[in-house]
Amino acid sequence: MKQVTQEAWAKRPLIISGPCSAETEEQVLETAQRLAKTGKVDVLRAGIWKPRTRPGSFEGIGTKGLPWLQQAKKITGLPVAVEVATAKQVEDALHFDVDILWVGARTTVNPFSVQEVADALKGVDVPVLIKNPINPDLELWLGAVERIAKAGISQVGLIHRGFSSYGNTEYRNAPMWHLAIEMKRRNPELMLINDPSHICGRRDILLEVMQKAIDLDFDGLMIESHIDPDNAWSDAKQQVTPEKLAEMLEQIAWRHEDIDSAAYHAALEKLRQQINHLDDELMQILGQRMKVAEQIGTYKKNNNITILQTNRWNEILDRAFKKGEKLGLSQEFITRYFDAVHMESINHQNKIMNS
Ligand code: PEP
Ligand code: MN
C-alpha cells in the first residue's frame, strides 16, 4: 500500500470528506482543492456509483468519474475513497488507483453482494471501510467484516452511519449509538469512524452529532461536502461547503482517550470504584426483585392466573416515569430499563408456573 494511504489510515482523528457524488470534473477538482486548502482533511471521498432507494434519481456518474478522482489526487496529494458494491466496480476502482474502498449500507445488508465484493478483493492490498447495514443488525455488520477479512484484506474499518426507521424522526437514520459502541466493544482492534451526514440528513444538526461521536471516542469522521451544497445532484440537504466543514471541525472540542496525569487517574479510579459498588448493589436488588417475582409466580400458578396483566405493567411504568423525572432519568432510559427487567421477571414467573 502507498505510504500516503498508510499515513492517512493511521491518522487520528481520521477526517474523510468530499461530495456525496462525483458530478463533473470541475466539481470534483474544485471540491478537492478547497478541502485540501483547509488542511483538515485526510482523504477525499466521492460516490461514483450511487445505490438509490428509488429509481429515477441520479445513480452516479459511473466509471468515467474515476479519472477525475485520479486527477484530484494528483493535484492535492489526498488519497481517494469510493463506494463499491459489485466485482466490476471493485475492478474499475482499483484500475484507476482508488486508495480506499468502502462498502455502503445497502450492500452490507446483502451477504451475496458482500461476498462478491470480497471475492473481487482476493489478493489485493487495499483498505476497506464497512458501513453498518441499514437495519439495526450487528450480526450482518460483523458478517460483512468477516467476509472482507477472509478475502485477505488486513485493513478493515467500520463506519457508523445510523439505521433507517419507519416514520419521520429528527434524524434521517437513527444513530442508535449503543449499537456502534457494542460493535466497537466486540472489535476493539478495528477503526470506527462516524458518518454524521447520513445520520442527520440535514446540515443544522451535523455539529452536535460530530461532537457526540468524538465524545464517544470514535476514530474519525466521514462528512459529505460540496462546492454548491443546495444544488448537489444527491443528498443536497446534508452537504456543506469545504469552508463550512473546516469551521465545524474547528468548533469541535477534541477529546483524548487518556492523559498522563496521576491526579486525574487517582480521581477517576475512585469514582470508578463508586460505580462498581453501586453496580453491585443494583445487582443485589435486581436479584431480590426476581425472587419476589417468583413468589408472585407461585401465587398466580396456584390461582391459575395469566402472567401478564397489562394494567399492572402500565402502572409500573407510570410510577417509574414520575419517580425518574425527579431523579433526572429520561423516559427513554426508564422504558428500556423496565422492558429488560419486566422481561426477566416474566421469564422467572414463567419458570415457576411451569415447574
Ligand atoms: C454515501 O456515503 O453517499 C452513501 C450512499 O452512504 P450509505 O451507504 O451510508 O447510505
Ligand atoms: Mn450521500
Side-chain angles (χ1 to χ4, degrees), residues 20 45 50-51 83 102 104-106 131 161 172 195 198 222 224 235:
C20 177
R45 65 149 279 158
K50 301 303 297 178
E83 173 178 351
W102 87 81
R106 288 164 195 75
K131 288 201 173 196
R161 50 78 79 197
R172 175 175 173 194
D195 171 347
H198 292 89
M222 182 195 253
E224 288 184 342
D235 288 353

Side-chain angles (χ1 to χ4, degrees), residues 229-263:
D230 285 336
N231 292 307
W233 297 3
S234 60
D235 288 353
K237 286 200 206 115
Q238 69 197 32
Q239 303 202 59
V240 292
T241 61
E243 295 71 27
K244 177 71 192 169
L245 172 77
E247 202 183 300
M248 289 195 299
L249 290 172
E250 200 67 58
Q251 279 172 279
I252 288 183
W254 299 97
R255 320 272 185 207
H256 311 277
E257 199 192 348
D258 210 350
I259 53 165
D260 195 15
S261 146

Side-chain angles (χ1 to χ4, degrees), residues 170 200-208 237-238 240 248:
E170 185 185 5
C200 298
R202 47 190 254 219
R203 290 186 264 281
D204 59 325
I205 53 172
L206 275 177
L207 186 61
E208 63 188 78
K237 286 200 206 115
Q238 69 197 32
V240 292
M248 289 195 299

Side-chain angles (χ1 to χ4, degrees), residues 108-128:
T108 308
V109 287
N110 184 348
F112 285 139
S113 301
V114 176
Q115 193 57 51
E116 181 180 327
V117 168
D119 290 341
L121 285 170
K122 285 211 173 103
V124 177
D125 179 24
V126 67
V128 179

Side-chain angles (χ1 to χ4, degrees), residues 174-235:
M176 302 193 188
W177 296 99
H178 57 289
L179 292 181
I181 292 166
E182 174 61 11
M183 190 67 178
K184 181 77 182 167
R185 192 187 65 76
R186 294 201 208 174
N187 304 277
E189 73 292 356
L190 298 186
M191 171 200 323
L192 170 63
I193 69 175
N194 177 257
D195 171 347
S197 305
H198 292 89
I199 288 178
C200 298
R202 47 190 254 219
R203 290 186 264 281
D204 59 325
I205 53 172
L206 275 177
L207 186 61
E208 63 188 78
V209 169
M210 287 158 72
Q211 182 68 63
K212 177 135 186 182
I214 296 309
D215 291 346
L216 289 172
D217 196 32
F218 276 63
D219 298 306
L221 302 165
M222 182 195 253
I223 309 149
E224 288 184 342
S225 57
H226 195 283
I227 49 171
D228 182 8
D230 285 336
N231 292 307
W233 297 3
S234 60
D235 288 353

